[in-house]
């Protein structure tokens, strides 16, 4: 690889109307970013300080919030710079970093959701064995695997990508995702198959496992008492809603990154923004509203803050 290659700058060609609406974009996106930080930090804070929330389910929820903060911080600051700049460019190395963060954290979310599904299965279907099965070591191992496996697999992809020569210097998006693979002079067959491998083992397998697990849960709870069914609904439905949101946005990312479409740039821009808004913001709001214990502590925190202000 030539020395000059590392200094290659790539144009982000997915922006629309930045000259006219740059400041408006900045204000709206900054508000969203601050909201994402506040909501996710609140979830993490509440779970950390309350001992009754030091359970596997809530620990996994906190891990999802950590992912949301890291994901947003890898994307939003660069967008702030771009909407206020005349040229929307990014260095090749920074683009690779965004690519790494985007997909490693995205696939980590699916693994965390599968760990949560397993936790719910053991809690509802094997309650007497739950303390033994879901001990501290098990939770630590599941967390480590959820973060390590995607990071390791994406590191391999980054190393291979770094040796590819760039012939095109414009990405049709506002951040670096799989569209950057179209920049290389030669499309690597190995990288295409490796990307499919990552998608299968880090996304498809967890999704299938989650669906299978929840089917088992619903079959067992269907024949149980009302209290058990209520508990299953309260804890499982939020996870399923998050999974559906993740899956829909993941499918959209794969379709737009891998195929050429004739949709207007404005439509691509709106959909790209949805990817970086929905996931980080949807999680804490959903869990804060739907999870009874988290909601209770958040309401107490808000009332306490209100009392201190007055």
């Amino acid at each position: 690889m030539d020395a000059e290659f590392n200094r290659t700058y790539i144009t982000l060609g997915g922006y629309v109307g930045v000259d006219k609406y740059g400041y408006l974009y900045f204000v709206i996106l900054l508000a969203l970013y601050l909201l994402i930080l506040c909501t996710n930090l609140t979830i993490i804070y509440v779970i950390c300080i309350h001992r009754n929330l030091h359970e596997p389910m809530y620990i996994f929820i906190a891990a999802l919030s950590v992912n949301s903060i890291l994901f947003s911080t890898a994307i939003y600051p660069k967008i702030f710079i771009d909407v206020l700049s005349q040229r929307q460019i990014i260095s090749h190395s920074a683009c690779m970093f965004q690519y790494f963060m985007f997909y490693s954290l995205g696939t980590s979310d699916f693994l965390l959701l599968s760990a949560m599904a397993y936790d719910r299965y053991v809690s509802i279907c094997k309650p007497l064995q739950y303390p033994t099965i879901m001990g501290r070591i098990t939770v630590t191992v599941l967390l480590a695997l959820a973060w390590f496996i995607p990071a390791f697999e994406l590191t391999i992809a980054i190393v291979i990508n770094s040796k590819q020569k760039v012939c095109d210097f414009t990405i049709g998006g506002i951040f670096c995702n799989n569209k950057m693979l179209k920049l290389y002079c030669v499309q690597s067959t190995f990288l295409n198959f490796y990307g499919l491998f990552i998608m299968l083992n880090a996304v498809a397998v967890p999704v299938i496992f989650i669906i299978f697990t929840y089917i088992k849960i619903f079959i067992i709870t269907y024949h149980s008492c009302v209290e058990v069914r209520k508990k299953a609904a309260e804890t499982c439905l939020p996870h399923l809603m998050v999974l559906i949101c993740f899956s829909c946005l993941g499918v959209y990312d794969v379709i737009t990154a891998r195929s050429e479409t004739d949709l207007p740039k404005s439509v691509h821009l709106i959909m790209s923004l949805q990817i970086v808004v929905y996931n980080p913001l949807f999680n804490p709001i959903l869990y804060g509203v739907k999870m009874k214990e988290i909601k209770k502590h958040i309401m107490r925190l808000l009332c306490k803050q209100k009392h201190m202000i007055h």
Side-chain angles (χ1 to χ4, degrees):
M1 184 175 63
D2 298 333
E4 63 201 278
F5 176 62
N6 274 330
R7 298 192 293 271
T8 299
Y9 279 86
I10 296 161
T11 299
L12 298 168
Y15 287 95
V16 178
V18 171
D19 294 338
K20 291 183 178 180
Y21 307 111
Y23 289 104
L24 179 61
Y25 286 155
F26 178 82
V27 171
I28 294 173
L29 291 171
L30 178 61
L32 286 170
Y33 179 57
L34 293 176
L35 185 60
I36 287 169
L37 291 182
C38 289
T39 52
N40 282 286
L41 286 172
T42 299
I43 294 291
I44 295 169
Y45 173 75
V46 166
I47 291 173
C48 286
I49 67 170
H50 293 97
R51 293 186 63 85
N52 69 317
L53 298 183
H54 293 179
E55 298 178 6
M57 176 176 64
Y58 300 112
I59 292 172
F60 293 136
I61 290 173
L64 281 175
S65 286
V66 170
N67 276 9
S68 295
I69 291 172
L70 294 175
F71 176 86
S72 301
T73 304
I75 302 293
Y76 276 87
K78 181 63 176 76
I79 295 178
F80 297 154
I81 296 171
D82 288 336
V83 297
L84 297 178
S85 303
Q86 291 184 336
R87 296 179 62 198
Q88 291 74 45
I89 59 174
I90 185 171
S91 69
H92 184 263
S93 56
C95 193
M96 298 283 276
F97 175 75
Q98 267 197 350
Y99 175 89
F100 172 82
M101 295 296 287
F102 184 86
Y103 288 109
S104 64
L105 293 172
T107 51
S108 173
D109 284 341
F110 282 100
L111 293 176
L112 286 172
L113 287 172
S114 64
M116 293 166 76
Y118 178 67
D119 172 73
R120 290 300 82 206
Y121 170 76
V122 177
S123 174
I124 294 170
C125 303
K126 300 181 179 180
L128 297 179
Q129 299 172 266
Y130 181 79
T132 304
I133 297 175
M134 294 303 295
R136 182 175 296 180
I137 295 177
T138 303
V139 174
T140 303
V141 169
L142 290 175
L143 282 174
L145 290 175
W147 279 319
F148 174 76
I149 292 175
F152 176 74
E153 292 179 342
L154 265 296
T155 298
I156 295 175
I158 291 296
V159 170
I160 298 172
N161 277 333
S162 65
K163 298 178 180 180
Q164 299 282 96
K165 186 176 180 181
V166 177
C167 283
D168 192 356
F169 299 91
T170 301
I171 289 179
I174 60 174
F175 51 83
C176 295
N177 58 2
N178 270 328
K179 289 182 179 180
M180 71 175 294
L181 299 179
K182 298 177 183 178
L183 302 179
Y184 300 124
C185 303
V186 178
Q187 295 296 310
S188 171
T189 303
F190 174 78
L191 271 178
N192 288 330
F193 279 109
Y194 186 68
L196 181 62
F197 165 76
I198 293 177
M199 189 170 68
L200 286 175
N201 81 82
V203 177
V205 171
V207 168
I208 293 170
F209 173 78
I210 293 167
I211 293 172
F212 174 77
T213 302
Y214 281 124
I215 289 173
K216 292 278 289 183
I217 289 173
F218 291 136
I219 290 173
I220 291 174
T221 55
Y222 179 77
H223 298 288
S224 303
C225 64
V226 176
E227 190 63 30
V228 173
R229 289 200 295 270
K230 184 179 178 182
K231 178 185 176 183
E234 285 179 354
T235 58
C236 295
L237 287 179
H239 305 331
L240 287 177
M241 292 172 69
V242 171
L243 175 66
I244 291 169
C245 180
F246 276 12
S247 301
C248 291
L249 293 176
V251 168
Y252 169 78
D253 175 71
V254 170
I255 291 173
T256 56
R258 295 284 181 174
S259 63
E260 297 291 341
T261 61
D262 296 325
L263 293 175
K265 283 180 64 176
S266 57
V267 175
H268 279 294
L269 175 62
I270 292 170
M271 293 302 295
S272 296
L273 288 173
Q274 289 184 57
I275 291 175
V276 298
V277 170
Y278 282 172
N279 285 0
L281 192 56
F282 186 65
N283 291 354
I285 291 176
L286 178 63
Y287 288 124
V289 171
K290 291 292 185 182
M291 301 297 287
K292 187 169 64 175
E293 287 299 315
I294 294 178
K295 182 180 179 180
K296 179 176 69 176
H297 288 299
I298 290 176
M299 295 306 294
R300 286 178 181 174
L301 179 64
L302 292 176
C303 290
K304 183 178 178 181
Q305 293 296 324
K306 185 178 179 181
H307 178 74
M308 290 176 62
I309 291 173
H310 289 291

